[in-house]
């Protein structure tokens, strides 16, 4: 088991990653759990069917009160005002108070919603994150919570840190292929912004199919360490935290224009990573050929670049301009001076057109 300590301005907490984590780690929080007047698990409905007992049993062996379980609509659909209100109603009906504790048991969507519920119920109650996707190694760390507004994703939310993160990697074995691709894109992002050797190692794989649980563990721990270092330095995204958005400006535009739920977050980010590398070669002298190499490697892993061709650049631009990082109409991109060295730049429309043309050409021709 690995434990990574996170030191935020007014909260310190641990991220525990490994197998059989609930049995091993929950006893460490016994005193806190016993002080709670209610314990509630909010669980993604798919995760509930596959894995609820894994968390419920060890928790029951510690908490003597009844544990209430509320099943959330699967994935992104839970990040709605309606579900947010339903969660609050459930907590009120069960008689929860400021002394209650909630668990988020699911992927990034569940974590974002439940974090937001925890941060707003009676102005804030403790919560434990139990992530169940690869991508959630990213979303469960750093304290961003959110639900979606019809006019934009993650538009309503807070910064709110969990009391602990319990990441049981054996739960990843039931992930569908598309969710593996989605999560690994954020792993690759963490590698690109931090560590040349790690990028080389990831690029030398030809598939994620044969990744052993111990390799997953290594990559997830590394990813969490990269994210931790950055969010500790800049909790509220005033400076370096923006580097975590590498690949996300174009990626978000691809995700929004193709439709949430049609393409996963990470699959869109994978496309955005290549776009950001094309720009980096042009603007900040990243070693030529890096973007093309990543395009080929990602295609080999099974990422599709077809979504690039579904909408014209004007449509993508309209989404990019709504990006939370856009200010005064300028488009900001995180670029790489070299692998491991991110930098924030304002990018001209001309350069965006150039990079988009390049990526469309590659996407049309394929990678072989
Ligand atoms: N807060 C942050 O810092 C942050 C960072 C990145 C992403 N996010 C958010 O995370 C969300 C995406 O999270 P995600 O990629 O984890 O997807 P998700 O939570 O939407 O889950 C994806 C799908 O996988 C299923 N699933 C989850 N765990 C499973 C398991 N172990 N086995 C089988 N199926 C399982 C879910 O039911 C769902 O259908 C987005 O809403 C994004 O905005 C937040
Ligand atoms: Zn992301």
């Amino acid at each position: 088991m690995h434990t990574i300590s996170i030191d935020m301005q007014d909260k310190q907490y641990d991220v525990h990653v490994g197998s059989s984590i609930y049995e091993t780690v929950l006893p460490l929080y016994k005193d806190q759990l016993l002080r709670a007047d209610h314990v509630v698990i909010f669980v993604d409905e798919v995760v509930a069917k596959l894995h609820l007992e894994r968390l419920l049993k060890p928790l029951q062996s510690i908490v003597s009160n009844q544990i209430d379980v509320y099943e959330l609509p699967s994935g992104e659909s839970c990040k709605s005002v309606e579900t947010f209100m339903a969660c609050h109603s459930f907590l009120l009906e069960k008689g929860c108070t400021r002394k209650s504790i909630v668990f988020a048991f699911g992927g990034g969507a569940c974590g974002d919603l439940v974090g937001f519920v925890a941060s707003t119920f009676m102005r804030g109650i403790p919560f434990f994150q139990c992530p169940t996707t690869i991508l959630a190694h990213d979303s469960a760390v750093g304290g961003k919570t959110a639900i979606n507004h019809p006019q934009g994703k993650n538009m309503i939310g807070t910064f709110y840190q969990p009391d602990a993160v319990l990441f049981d990697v054996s739960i990843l074995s039931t992930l569908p292929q598309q969710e593996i691709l989605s999560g690994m894109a954020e792993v690759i992002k963490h590698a690109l912004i931090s560590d040349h050797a790690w990028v080389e190692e990831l690029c030398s794989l030809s598939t994620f199919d044969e990744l052993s649980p111990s390799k997953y563990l290594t990559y997830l721990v590394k990813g969490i360490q990269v994210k931790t270092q950055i969010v500790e330095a800049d909790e509220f995204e005033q400076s370096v935290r923006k580097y975590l958005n590498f690949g996300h400006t174009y990626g978000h535009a691809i995700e929004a224009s193709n439709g949430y739920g049609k393409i996963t977050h990470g699959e869109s980010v994978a496309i955005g990573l290549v776009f950001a590398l094309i720009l980096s070669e042009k603007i900040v002298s990243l070693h030529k050929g890096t973007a093309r190499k990543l395009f080929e490697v990602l295609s080999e892993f099974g990422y599709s670049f077809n979504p690039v061709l579904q909408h014209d650049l004007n449509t993508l631009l309209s989404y990019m301009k709504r990006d939370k990082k856009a200010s005064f109409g300028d488009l900001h991109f995180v670029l790489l001076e070299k692998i491991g060295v991110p930098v924030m730049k304002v990018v001209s429309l001309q350069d965006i057109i150039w990079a988009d043309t390049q990526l469309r050409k590659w996407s049309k021709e394929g990678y072989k």
Side-chain angles (χ1 to χ4, degrees), residues 217-236:
L217 185 63
T218 310
Y219 293 156
L220 294 175
V221 168
K222 268 168 103 73
I224 291 168
Q225 282 165 337
V226 171
K227 179 143 190 191
T228 301
Q229 249 185 5
I230 292 180
V231 298
E232 279 181 350
D234 175 24
E235 182 168 354
F236 299 110

Side-chain angles (χ1 to χ4, degrees), residues 300-314:
E300 190 71 34
F301 284 146
Y303 292 93
S304 167
F305 284 80
N306 267 334
V308 174
L309 305 173
Q310 301 309 311
H311 297 277
D312 60 18
L313 178 59
N314 275 337

